[in-house]
Amino acid sequence: MKYLLRYSLFWLLPFVASANYVHWLGEYDTAHHMAVKEKKSLLVLVVKKSSKQCNMVLKDQFMDHSYVDRINQKTVPVIVTYEGALSYPVEMFYTTTFPTLFFVDSQKEVFLREPLYGDEINEKVLSQIIKKF
C-alpha cells in the first residue's frame, strides 16, 4: 500500500513544480519595507476569510498566467485579511467588497490607480495593468 500511495502521487510532481504563481507575502509591514528597499510597487490584496470568491480569484487569476512572472519581478505582493485589520493600515485600504486589489507606490504611499473589486480582478484587466509596471 505504501508503494502504491508513494508512486501514485509522483505523477503530480511535474504539475506542482511547474506551477507559476504569485509569491504572496502575508505581513503588510514586511512587504512595505521590502517594496521601499527594492523600489518596487506594492500590490495589496484584501480578502475575507472563508470567501469562495476570494479563493477563486487567488486560484484562477494569480496562478499560471503570463503576467504572474511580471508581478513577482516588478511588485511586492501582499495578501491581508479583512478580519486581521490590525495587521495593515485599514484606513488606507478600506473596502467593503472582497477581494479588493490595490496598486500602491511604496515610496509615496499613494495609489497608482483605482483598486479592482471582485469580478474586476480578471485575466484581461490584470494583464493590461501589469504590462505598465
PDB file of all heavy atoms in Angstrom, residues 50-70:
ATOM      1  N   SER A  50     -12.847  32.625   4.458  1.00  0.00           N
ATOM      2  CA  SER A  50     -13.988  31.763   4.086  1.00  0.00           C
ATOM      3  C   SER A  50     -14.813  32.320   2.941  1.00  0.00           C
ATOM      4  O   SER A  50     -15.977  31.967   2.784  1.00  0.00           O
ATOM      5  CB  SER A  50     -14.893  31.494   5.295  1.00  0.00           C
ATOM      6  OG  SER A  50     -14.158  30.952   6.354  1.00  0.00           O
ATOM      7  N   SER A  51     -14.238  33.191   2.132  1.00  0.00           N
ATOM      8  CA  SER A  51     -14.951  33.727   0.971  1.00  0.00           C
ATOM      9  C   SER A  51     -14.621  32.885  -0.256  1.00  0.00           C
ATOM     10  O   SER A  51     -13.455  32.790  -0.654  1.00  0.00           O
ATOM     11  CB  SER A  51     -14.544  35.176   0.724  1.00  0.00           C
ATOM     12  OG  SER A  51     -14.933  35.587  -0.572  1.00  0.00           O
ATOM     13  N   LYS A  52     -15.638  32.299  -0.849  1.00  0.00           N
ATOM     14  CA  LYS A  52     -15.427  31.478  -2.046  1.00  0.00           C
ATOM     15  C   LYS A  52     -14.881  32.320  -3.190  1.00  0.00           C
ATOM     16  O   LYS A  52     -14.015  31.884  -3.926  1.00  0.00           O
ATOM     17  CB  LYS A  52     -16.727  30.787  -2.459  1.00  0.00           C
ATOM     18  CG  LYS A  52     -17.134  29.686  -1.528  1.00  0.00           C
ATOM     19  CD  LYS A  52     -18.402  29.008  -1.987  1.00  0.00           C
ATOM     20  CE  LYS A  52     -18.804  27.948  -0.983  1.00  0.00           C
ATOM     21  NZ  LYS A  52     -20.022  27.250  -1.375  1.00  0.00           N
ATOM     22  N   GLN A  53     -15.392  33.541  -3.340  1.00  0.00           N
ATOM     23  CA  GLN A  53     -14.926  34.395  -4.431  1.00  0.00           C
ATOM     24  C   GLN A  53     -13.452  34.753  -4.249  1.00  0.00           C
ATOM     25  O   GLN A  53     -12.693  34.759  -5.211  1.00  0.00           O
ATOM     26  CB  GLN A  53     -15.759  35.662  -4.557  1.00  0.00           C
ATOM     27  CG  GLN A  53     -15.344  36.488  -5.762  1.00  0.00           C
ATOM     28  CD  GLN A  53     -16.204  37.714  -5.978  1.00  0.00           C
ATOM     29  OE1 GLN A  53     -16.910  38.156  -5.089  1.00  0.00           O
ATOM     30  NE2 GLN A  53     -16.133  38.266  -7.173  1.00  0.00           N
ATOM     31  N   CYS A  54     -13.027  35.032  -3.031  1.00  0.00           N
ATOM     32  CA  CYS A  54     -11.617  35.343  -2.772  1.00  0.00           C
ATOM     33  C   CYS A  54     -10.736  34.149  -3.125  1.00  0.00           C
ATOM     34  O   CYS A  54      -9.697  34.302  -3.771  1.00  0.00           O
ATOM     35  CB  CYS A  54     -11.405  35.741  -1.315  1.00  0.00           C
ATOM     36  SG  CYS A  54     -12.177  37.319  -0.874  1.00  0.00           S
ATOM     37  N   ASN A  55     -11.160  32.972  -2.712  1.00  0.00           N
ATOM     38  CA  ASN A  55     -10.390  31.765  -3.023  1.00  0.00           C
ATOM     39  C   ASN A  55     -10.320  31.516  -4.525  1.00  0.00           C
ATOM     40  O   ASN A  55      -9.268  31.145  -5.050  1.00  0.00           O
ATOM     41  CB  ASN A  55     -10.983  30.545  -2.314  1.00  0.00           C
ATOM     42  CG  ASN A  55     -10.777  30.602  -0.817  1.00  0.00           C
ATOM     43  OD1 ASN A  55      -9.849  31.238  -0.330  1.00  0.00           O
ATOM     44  ND2 ASN A  55     -11.656  29.955  -0.083  1.00  0.00           N
ATOM     45  N   MET A  56     -11.420  31.750  -5.218  1.00  0.00           N
ATOM     46  CA  MET A  56     -11.435  31.539  -6.671  1.00  0.00           C
ATOM     47  C   MET A  56     -10.524  32.537  -7.376  1.00  0.00           C
ATOM     48  O   MET A  56      -9.816  32.175  -8.305  1.00  0.00           O
ATOM     49  CB  MET A  56     -12.864  31.608  -7.211  1.00  0.00           C
ATOM     50  CG  MET A  56     -13.684  30.446  -6.727  1.00  0.00           C
ATOM     51  SD  MET A  56     -14.965  29.806  -7.784  1.00  0.00           S
ATOM     52  CE  MET A  56     -14.604  30.230  -9.408  1.00  0.00           C
ATOM     53  N   VAL A  57     -10.565  33.797  -6.958  1.00  0.00           N
ATOM     54  CA  VAL A  57      -9.702  34.807  -7.582  1.00  0.00           C
ATOM     55  C   VAL A  57      -8.239  34.436  -7.377  1.00  0.00           C
ATOM     56  O   VAL A  57      -7.435  34.507  -8.308  1.00  0.00           O
ATOM     57  CB  VAL A  57     -10.011  36.222  -7.033  1.00  0.00           C
ATOM     58  CG1 VAL A  57      -8.891  37.195  -7.347  1.00  0.00           C
ATOM     59  CG2 VAL A  57     -11.320  36.723  -7.608  1.00  0.00           C
ATOM     60  N   LEU A  58      -7.877  34.034  -6.180  1.00  0.00           N
ATOM     61  CA  LEU A  58      -6.489  33.629  -5.921  1.00  0.00           C
ATOM     62  C   LEU A  58      -6.079  32.484  -6.823  1.00  0.00           C
ATOM     63  O   LEU A  58      -4.997  32.508  -7.422  1.00  0.00           O
ATOM     64  CB  LEU A  58      -6.320  33.213  -4.458  1.00  0.00           C
ATOM     65  CG  LEU A  58      -6.105  34.344  -3.492  1.00  0.00           C
ATOM     66  CD1 LEU A  58      -6.236  33.857  -2.056  1.00  0.00           C
ATOM     67  CD2 LEU A  58      -4.754  34.983  -3.702  1.00  0.00           C
ATOM     68  N   LYS A  59      -6.916  31.486  -6.918  1.00  0.00           N
ATOM     69  CA  LYS A  59      -6.597  30.304  -7.717  1.00  0.00           C
ATOM     70  C   LYS A  59      -6.652  30.587  -9.218  1.00  0.00           C
ATOM     71  O   LYS A  59      -5.753  30.195  -9.956  1.00  0.00           O
ATOM     72  CB  LYS A  59      -7.567  29.173  -7.362  1.00  0.00           C
ATOM     73  CG  LYS A  59      -7.315  27.874  -8.096  1.00  0.00           C
ATOM     74  CD  LYS A  59      -8.284  26.793  -7.685  1.00  0.00           C
ATOM     75  CE  LYS A  59      -9.663  26.980  -8.179  1.00  0.00           C
ATOM     76  NZ  LYS A  59     -10.047  26.626  -9.487  1.00  0.00           N
ATOM     77  N   ASP A  60      -7.675  31.282  -9.658  1.00  0.00           N
ATOM     78  CA  ASP A  60      -7.898  31.450 -11.098  1.00  0.00           C
ATOM     79  C   ASP A  60      -7.131  32.613 -11.723  1.00  0.00           C
ATOM     80  O   ASP A  60      -6.846  32.586 -12.913  1.00  0.00           O
ATOM     81  CB  ASP A  60      -9.394  31.636 -11.386  1.00  0.00           C
ATOM     82  CG  ASP A  60     -10.212  30.406 -11.040  1.00  0.00           C
ATOM     83  OD1 ASP A  60      -9.622  29.314 -10.896  1.00  0.00           O
ATOM     84  OD2 ASP A  60     -11.443  30.544 -10.897  1.00  0.00           O
ATOM     85  N   GLN A  61      -6.824  33.664 -10.961  1.00  0.00           N
ATOM     86  CA  GLN A  61      -6.203  34.850 -11.554  1.00  0.00           C
ATOM     87  C   GLN A  61      -4.733  35.032 -11.199  1.00  0.00           C
ATOM     88  O   GLN A  61      -4.046  35.803 -11.859  1.00  0.00           O
ATOM     89  CB  GLN A  61      -6.981  36.113 -11.153  1.00  0.00           C
ATOM     90  CG  GLN A  61      -8.448  36.065 -11.468  1.00  0.00           C
ATOM     91  CD  GLN A  61      -8.763  35.681 -12.906  1.00  0.00           C
ATOM     92  OE1 GLN A  61      -8.043  36.048 -13.829  1.00  0.00           O
ATOM     93  NE2 GLN A  61      -9.817  34.928 -13.101  1.00  0.00           N
ATOM     94  N   PHE A  62      -4.262  34.363 -10.178  1.00  0.00           N
ATOM     95  CA  PHE A  62      -2.880  34.576  -9.755  1.00  0.00           C
ATOM     96  C   PHE A  62      -2.025  33.319  -9.847  1.00  0.00           C
ATOM     97  O   PHE A  62      -1.009  33.194  -9.176  1.00  0.00           O
ATOM     98  CB  PHE A  62      -2.850  35.157  -8.331  1.00  0.00           C
ATOM     99  CG  PHE A  62      -3.431  36.539  -8.274  1.00  0.00           C
ATOM    100  CD1 PHE A  62      -4.690  36.764  -7.731  1.00  0.00           C
ATOM    101  CD2 PHE A  62      -2.734  37.621  -8.795  1.00  0.00           C
ATOM    102  CE1 PHE A  62      -5.235  38.044  -7.694  1.00  0.00           C
ATOM    103  CE2 PHE A  62      -3.271  38.895  -8.770  1.00  0.00           C
ATOM    104  CZ  PHE A  62      -4.524  39.105  -8.212  1.00  0.00           C
ATOM    105  N   MET A  63      -2.433  32.387 -10.697  1.00  0.00           N
ATOM    106  CA  MET A  63      -1.643  31.196 -10.980  1.00  0.00           C
ATOM    107  C   MET A  63      -1.681  30.928 -12.478  1.00  0.00           C
ATOM    108  O   MET A  63      -2.721  31.069 -13.112  1.00  0.00           O
ATOM    109  CB  MET A  63      -2.200  29.973 -10.244  1.00  0.00           C
ATOM    110  CG  MET A  63      -2.000  30.018  -8.745  1.00  0.00           C
ATOM    111  SD  MET A  63      -2.549  28.511  -7.936  1.00  0.00           S
ATOM    112  CE  MET A  63      -1.276  27.384  -8.464  1.00  0.00           C
ATOM    113  N   ASP A  64      -0.522  30.549 -13.000  1.00  0.00           N
ATOM    114  CA  ASP A  64      -0.407  30.076 -14.388  1.00  0.00           C
ATOM    115  C   ASP A  64      -0.933  31.056 -15.435  1.00  0.00           C
ATOM    116  O   ASP A  64      -1.657  30.677 -16.352  1.00  0.00           O
ATOM    117  CB  ASP A  64      -1.100  28.713 -14.546  1.00  0.00           C
ATOM    118  CG  ASP A  64      -0.429  27.652 -13.690  1.00  0.00           C
ATOM    119  OD1 ASP A  64       0.808  27.679 -13.586  1.00  0.00           O
ATOM    120  OD2 ASP A  64      -1.139  26.811 -13.125  1.00  0.00           O
ATOM    121  N   HIS A  65      -0.586  32.328 -15.278  1.00  0.00           N
ATOM    122  CA  HIS A  65      -0.892  33.339 -16.293  1.00  0.00           C
ATOM    123  C   HIS A  65       0.410  34.015 -16.704  1.00  0.00           C
ATOM    124  O   HIS A  65       1.361  34.087 -15.921  1.00  0.00           O
ATOM    125  CB  HIS A  65      -1.871  34.394 -15.748  1.00  0.00           C
ATOM    126  CG  HIS A  65      -3.263  33.885 -15.591  1.00  0.00           C
ATOM    127  ND1 HIS A  65      -4.096  33.634 -16.653  1.00  0.00           N
ATOM    128  CD2 HIS A  65      -3.963  33.558 -14.481  1.00  0.00           C
ATOM    129  CE1 HIS A  65      -5.255  33.179 -16.212  1.00  0.00           C
ATOM    130  NE2 HIS A  65      -5.196  33.123 -14.891  1.00  0.00           N
ATOM    131  N   SER A  66       0.431  34.561 -17.886  1.00  0.00           N
ATOM    132  CA  SER A  66       1.656  35.183 -18.404  1.00  0.00           C
ATOM    133  C   SER A  66       2.110  36.373 -17.559  1.00  0.00           C
ATOM    134  O   SER A  66       3.292  36.672 -17.485  1.00  0.00           O
ATOM    135  CB  SER A  66       1.448  35.616 -19.854  1.00  0.00           C
ATOM    136  OG  SER A  66       0.364  36.525 -19.943  1.00  0.00           O
ATOM    137  N   TYR A  67       1.203  37.060 -16.905  1.00  0.00           N
ATOM    138  CA  TYR A  67       1.554  38.247 -16.119  1.00  0.00           C
ATOM    139  C   TYR A  67       2.091  37.924 -14.723  1.00  0.00           C
ATOM    140  O   TYR A  67       2.597  38.807 -14.037  1.00  0.00           O
ATOM    141  CB  TYR A  67       0.369  39.204 -16.003  1.00  0.00           C
ATOM    142  CG  TYR A  67      -0.913  38.571 -15.518  1.00  0.00           C
ATOM    143  CD1 TYR A  67      -1.141  38.340 -14.162  1.00  0.00           C
ATOM    144  CD2 TYR A  67      -1.903  38.211 -16.424  1.00  0.00           C
ATOM    145  CE1 TYR A  67      -2.315  37.765 -13.717  1.00  0.00           C
ATOM    146  CE2 TYR A  67      -3.084  37.642 -15.991  1.00  0.00           C
ATOM    147  CZ  TYR A  67      -3.283  37.419 -14.641  1.00  0.00           C
ATOM    148  OH  TYR A  67      -4.447  36.859 -14.210  1.00  0.00           O
ATOM    149  N   VAL A  68       2.010  36.688 -14.288  1.00  0.00           N
ATOM    150  CA  VAL A  68       2.435  36.316 -12.934  1.00  0.00           C
ATOM    151  C   VAL A  68       3.926  36.589 -12.719  1.00  0.00           C
ATOM    152  O   VAL A  68       4.318  37.143 -11.687  1.00  0.00           O
ATOM    153  CB  VAL A  68       2.069  34.849 -12.625  1.00  0.00           C
ATOM    154  CG1 VAL A  68       2.766  34.348 -11.371  1.00  0.00           C
ATOM    155  CG2 VAL A  68       0.561  34.699 -12.500  1.00  0.00           C
ATOM    156  N   ASP A  69       4.756  36.238 -13.679  1.00  0.00           N
ATOM    157  CA  ASP A  69       6.195  36.491 -13.537  1.00  0.00           C
ATOM    158  C   ASP A  69       6.471  37.983 -13.399  1.00  0.00           C
ATOM    159  O   ASP A  69       7.310  38.402 -12.610  1.00  0.00           O
ATOM    160  CB  ASP A  69       6.975  35.933 -14.726  1.00  0.00           C
ATOM    161  CG  ASP A  69       7.068  34.417 -14.700  1.00  0.00           C
ATOM    162  OD1 ASP A  69       7.022  33.839 -13.588  1.00  0.00           O
ATOM    163  OD2 ASP A  69       7.179  33.815 -15.775  1.00  0.00           O
ATOM    164  N   ARG A  70       5.765  38.776 -14.169  1.00  0.00           N
ATOM    165  CA  ARG A  70       5.963  40.235 -14.099  1.00  0.00           C
ATOM    166  C   ARG A  70       5.518  40.779 -12.741  1.00  0.00           C
ATOM    167  O   ARG A  70       6.159  41.673 -12.196  1.00  0.00           O
ATOM    168  CB  ARG A  70       5.222  40.919 -15.240  1.00  0.00           C
ATOM    169  CG  ARG A  70       5.579  42.379 -15.387  1.00  0.00           C
ATOM    170  CD  ARG A  70       5.342  42.851 -16.801  1.00  0.00           C
ATOM    171  NE  ARG A  70       5.657  44.244 -16.950  1.00  0.00           N
ATOM    172  CZ  ARG A  70       6.867  44.716 -17.236  1.00  0.00           C
ATOM    173  NH1 ARG A  70       7.874  43.890 -17.394  1.00  0.00           N
ATOM    174  NH2 ARG A  70       7.074  46.008 -17.367  1.00  0.00           N
TER     175      ARG A  70
END
